[in-house]
Amino acid sequence: MALLPVAEALKHILESADTLETEDVSLRHALGRTLARSIEARVDNPPFDASAMDGYAVRAEDVSEVPVTLKLIGEAGAGQPFSGTVAKGQTVRIFTGAAMPSGADSVVIQENVTADGAAVTFREAADRDDNVRPKGQDFTKGRALFEKGQRLTARDILLAAAAGHGTLPVVRKPIVALLATGDELVEPGTPLGPGQISASNSFGLAAVVEAAGGEARLLGIARDTLDSLDDAIRQADGADILVTIGGASVGDYDLVRPALENAGAKLAFYKIAMRPGKPLFFGSRTAGKNQQHCLGLPGNPVASLICSRVFLVPLLGRLLGRDVPLEAIDAVLGDALPANGPREHYMRARLDLTTAPPRAVPFKNQDSGMITALQCADCLIVVPIDAPAQPAGSPVKVLKLDI
């Protein structure tokens, strides 16, 4: 059976997914969330003409010729407006952020003024609107501030608060159940017995999920028996995505696919033309009230994390209502590459952004057992199927690892 190309596998996965439901969250919990609809300002900012400096509010015509002495009639502080009106020959002491008094149209900074009781002498002239922030200078009520599908940053939350929003409508976080499989696995930090290894994949993938805007739920480790797998898969009911790790190959103990089929999953494809990551499958099942996506990743940690970047991250983006394509960028090779074989190769590399175009330097050792090389990498060079040998300086497509 021919292996499915990566692009076709990703297209199938994305076409199976729709945006999740909307919920309102407080600004304190909005960081990193995805807006479910566009947002407009509810107020003007500033909501009134405000002083931009500490000084004295005046009528500009009264200080057009200096020196001149005006009568001090009051004070305006932030949140404590002056209630009267500034008339000819009068001034009000004012502080930064305070509302401009009625009748005043400019502010003279305090460094240019000498005050002696109620007599205030101005040594510098002022024009109308000097040191005044007019109402709505930043934005006005009804102005569009955010687009649907936008992922909220700290700066966005600051703006939303200033625009009068206490809560924001966001897409519900996709829940991703992560199930490691294998008799050889033990929880990280546990002393290793003969033939055992630490179950690292679940923790790396949980970080991927949460960085992409999802909620990760670790189901622990299922043993290489159908009973253990059946029990573990039942724990994933209610999750939007079930990610299984390992047990997806063709060995005697690779029982994940049969266990998923026992749980009602219908597999859409199995095995893809990707290196690393050939033993990957995708399907769906009804799990509780949810139609659950089932993504089977290889047990090899390097292959698992690379496949999560190529398939799981875009799937999460689709569920959140914001497309996250492969985002391949143009670069040139820092070193020569040999000819490629029948699978699209995702090669670990470092990206030098000081050159134009950026220069991608592939690691010499691409062995999928080298987790340290993955940790040192910041991008993947995407080498097409059956690509010929490429000298240094050749154009390539690069996928950034961090999202």
Side-chain angles (χ1 to χ4, degrees):
M1 183 177 67
L3 299 179
L4 189 66
V6 169
E8 290 186 29
L10 180 60
K11 181 174 182 288
H12 186 97
I13 289 173
L14 296 182
E15 287 179 345
S16 73
D18 292 315
T19 304
L20 299 177
E21 317 89 70
T22 298
E23 61 185 11
D24 289 330
V25 298
S26 70
L27 295 183
R28 280 287 293 116
H29 298 98
L31 181 64
R33 302 298 296 271
T34 303
L35 279 177
R37 62 175 182 268
S38 300
I39 297 296
E40 297 179 348
R42 290 178 171 173
V43 297
D44 298 324
N45 189 50
F48 44 77
D49 291 345
S51 175
M53 303 289 285
D54 292 341
Y56 291 82
V58 298
R59 303 186 328 150
E61 63 185 274
D62 286 347
V63 292
S64 60
E65 295 183 8
V66 292
V68 63
T69 300
L70 304 180
K71 180 181 179 182
L72 182 66
I73 61 170
E75 181 176 287
Q80 297 178 326
F82 177 72
S83 59
T85 298
V86 177
K88 180 179 175 64
Q90 297 178 336
T91 186
V92 167
R93 179 77 165 108
I94 195 166
F95 297 92
T96 303
M100 288 292 292
S102 174
D105 56 22
S106 63
V107 173
V108 178
I109 63 175
Q110 60 190 19
E111 290 85 350
N112 296 331
V113 169
T114 300
D116 183 10
V120 182
T121 301
F122 294 79
R123 301 187 302 274
E124 294 286 339
D127 293 325
R128 184 181 180 89
D129 298 326
D130 276 0
N131 300 312
V132 176
R133 296 187 180 116
K135 177 182 179 180
Q137 177 188 46
D138 190 6
F139 56 81
T140 56
K141 182 179 180 180
R143 174 180 165 181
L145 298 178
F146 306 108
E147 295 297 322
K148 176 182 177 181
Q150 183 171 336
R151 194 171 186 190
L152 293 164
T153 66
R155 300 182 302 282
D156 297 328
I157 292 168
L158 173 69
L159 178 56
H165 292 274
T167 63
L168 291 171
V170 298
V171 179
R172 175 176 66 78
K173 285 187 176 184
I175 299 170
V176 183
L178 299 167
L179 175 61
T181 68
D183 287 342
E184 75 280 13
L185 299 179
V186 295
E187 292 291 344
T190 303
L192 299 180
Q196 292 183 328
I197 60 173
S198 294
S200 58
N201 283 342
S202 297
F203 296 89
L205 291 173
V208 169
V209 167
E210 289 170 2
E215 177 184 326
R217 294 184 182 175
L218 273 62
L219 302 184
I221 302 168
R223 299 306 169 190
D224 290 325
T225 68
L226 278 175
D227 286 344
S228 179
L229 286 163
D230 289 343
D231 289 343
I233 289 170
R234 278 193 290 271
Q235 295 177 39
D237 286 358
D240 301 290
I241 305 172
L242 168 60
V243 175
T244 59
I245 309 159
S249 193
V250 292
D252 292 342
Y253 297 99
D254 293 320
L255 303 173
V256 172
R257 285 187 300 144
L260 282 170
E261 289 169 346
N262 288 346
K266 295 181 179 178
L267 299 184
F269 63 80
Y270 167 59
K271 292 188 179 180
I272 56 173
M274 180 176 177
R275 175 185 175 201
K278 175 183 173 182
L280 179 142
F281 64 79
F282 180 78
S284 63
R285 73 183 187 105
T286 301
K289 296 180 180 179
N290 290 11
Q291 188 67 17
Q292 185 179 84
H293 305 279
C294 300
L295 179 63
L297 298 180
N300 177 285
V302 171
S304 180
L305 204 73
I306 289 176
C307 287
S308 75
R309 178 62 185 90
V310 176
F311 298 106
L312 180 57
V313 169
L315 173 57
L316 287 166
R318 181 59 59 89
L319 293 175
L320 285 165
R322 51 179 179 86
D323 284 342
V324 183
L326 287 185
E327 297 174 352
I329 64 172
D330 293 320
V332 295
L333 281 175
D335 287 323
L337 289 182
N340 192 29
R343 289 186 284 159
E344 195 168 56
H345 195 180
Y346 287 75
M347 303 185 72
R348 285 153 285 172
R350 290 287 298 180
L351 194 60
D352 181 1
L353 296 173
T354 64
T355 64
R359 194 170 68 103
V361 183
F363 293 170
K364 298 295 184 185
N365 191 340
Q366 293 290 328
D367 189 306
S368 61
M370 299 292 290
I371 301 175
T372 51
L374 180 63
Q375 188 273 333
C376 292
D378 60 9
C379 70
L380 300 167
I381 298 172
V382 184
V383 185
I385 293 171
D386 295 328
Q390 302 175 71
S394 299
V396 289
K397 292 292 186 180
V398 168
L399 174 65
K400 290 185 177 180
L401 276 170
D402 293 328
I403 51 177

